[in-house]
Amino acid sequence: MDGEKGKTVCTSPVVQARVRAGMTVAELVEELGKAGAYNGGYLARATDICTEMFTDTETTRFLGLAGAMVPGGMGGIVEDLIRDGYVDVLVSTGANLTHDIIEAIGCHHYHGTEICDDDELYEEEINRIYDIYLPSDAFISFEEFMQETLGELTDGTTLSISGLLRHIGEHLDTGILAAAAEADIPIYCPAIQDSMIGLQYWLFGQTRKVTIDAFADMNGLMDTCFTAKKAGAFLIGGGVPKNYIFQSMLMTPNGFDYAVQLTGDRPDLGGLSGATLDEAKSWGKVTGEARAQTVYGDATINLPLIIAAVRERIEHA
């Protein structure tokens, strides 16, 4: 800790973590916080920030979802956060929503291995996402569902992307899209063309005339940003969802008051997914007084730990 200018004062000692049988996730995170070093310390601080963000009734909470989170089994966590009222706006890649639909219509992703012959997998019509396998048959079921669901849209209709996703979610019983539709939470997907959903819409559009207005969502998004008393961002990965969430504040006099980012990317390569939250302050996307923390590492580890600890704290508050 810094003291007077030019001096460094050591006042906060590292406490050796104690791990015991039967301890809860929140207790484990507290021990990480006492140790306070490296990404264990970052995770503990991110948990503190998320707890405050989720319980601050004046805060509008944005969730960014990038990376192969649904194939990796993290979709249920996001679905539950939506159903339990911890998400006000979701921005996702089209890929995660595609895989959410695949799960919701009864298909599955399967455990596999990255040590394999990908040419052989191709011959067997199995698609690989690192160590997760997805048979091509799932995309046949996906196409049947999408064409039937899109087919219910009336020719001449103009929809926003979020409106299209709401329509799809209303035809599902489980998953992220279904939960958002039921909770009246908007899902924005600005790069939806870059997904199997986009390809299915293109196929549908060969014979039908339904227009998707790519800019229509900006009105609702900007209304949310201008009217938010406070704003918080929980970013799983980076990419388009992170930028879409952060840039939304640039037209307002506001910035994000809370920000937590889970990423495995490096900041020194200049990519947004690895860019620090301090860098976002230079743009005015995050306020100078914001509580912000990046946690580096695998989101399939850090996301469940943080959310489990936050939920435990809220339940026992």
Side-chain angles (χ1 to χ4, degrees), residues 28 62 78 99 150 157 187 208 213 230 236 245 250 259 267 270 292:
L28 173 60
F62 294 71
V78 176
H99 291 283
L150 294 173
T157 300
I187 298 181
R208 299 287 297 277
D213 184 345
K230 298 168 70 175
I236 306 168
I245 288 172
L250 290 179

Side-chain angles (χ1 to χ4, degrees), residues 185-207:
I185 297 300
I187 298 181
Y188 299 124
C189 183
I192 196 169
Q193 301 96 318
D194 184 28
S195 71
M196 291 294 184
I197 296 175
L199 289 174
Q200 287 300 314
Y201 173 77
W202 171 83
L203 181 61
F204 168 75
Q206 300 308 296
T207 57

Side-chain angles (χ1 to χ4, degrees), residues 1 42 47 82 135 137 144 161 187 189 192 207 252 257 275 280 284:
M1 175 181 288
Y42 293 162
T47 301
I82 294 171
D137 285 350
E144 291 172 351
I161 294 173
I187 298 181
C189 183
I192 196 169
T207 57
T252 79
D257 302 282

Side-chain angles (χ1 to χ4, degrees), residues 126-282:
I126 295 174
N127 306 277
R128 180 170 72 89
I129 306 169
Y130 191 60
D131 61 355
I132 298 298
Y133 292 169
L134 179 61
S136 293
D137 285 350
F139 289 106
I140 297 174
S141 299
F142 172 76
E143 180 170 320
E144 291 172 351
F145 167 80
M146 286 296 296
Q147 293 306 313
E148 180 178 349
T149 301
L150 294 173
E152 295 185 12
L153 297 171
T154 304
D155 276 356
T157 300
T158 297
L159 289 173
S160 63
I161 294 173
S162 65
L164 173 65
L165 295 174
R166 171 69 61 88
H167 174 75
I168 296 171
E170 289 172 347
H171 289 74
L172 298 169
D173 296 324
T174 64
I176 295 169
L177 284 159
E182 291 171 15
D184 195 26
I185 297 300
I187 298 181
Y188 299 124
C189 183
I192 196 169
Q193 301 96 318
D194 184 28
S195 71
M196 291 294 184
I197 296 175
L199 289 174
Q200 287 300 314
Y201 173 77
W202 171 83
L203 181 61
F204 168 75
Q206 300 308 296
T207 57
R208 299 287 297 277
K209 299 299 180 183
V210 175
T211 300
I212 304 300
D213 184 345
F215 293 96
D217 281 329
M218 297 303 296
N219 293 325
L221 176 63
M222 296 313 299
D223 286 347
T224 298
C225 293
F226 272 103
T227 58
K229 292 182 179 180
K230 298 168 70 175
F234 188 88
L235 306 170
I236 306 168
V240 171
K242 177 185 177 181
N243 189 66
Y244 196 70
I245 288 172
F246 271 176
Q247 78 168 12
S248 66
M249 284 296 176
L250 290 179
M251 299 299 290
T252 79
N254 309 316
F256 282 91
D257 302 282
Y258 303 100
V260 168
Q261 173 178 241
L262 310 182
T263 184
D265 293 328
R266 291 165 45 185
D268 58 310
L269 300 180
L272 180 70
S273 297
T276 66
L277 297 174
D278 282 337
E279 182 179 309
K281 292 180 180 180
S282 75

Side-chain angles (χ1 to χ4, degrees), residues 69-80:
M69 291 293 100
V70 174
M74 300 293 105
I77 297 174
V78 176
E79 177 185 352
D80 290 343

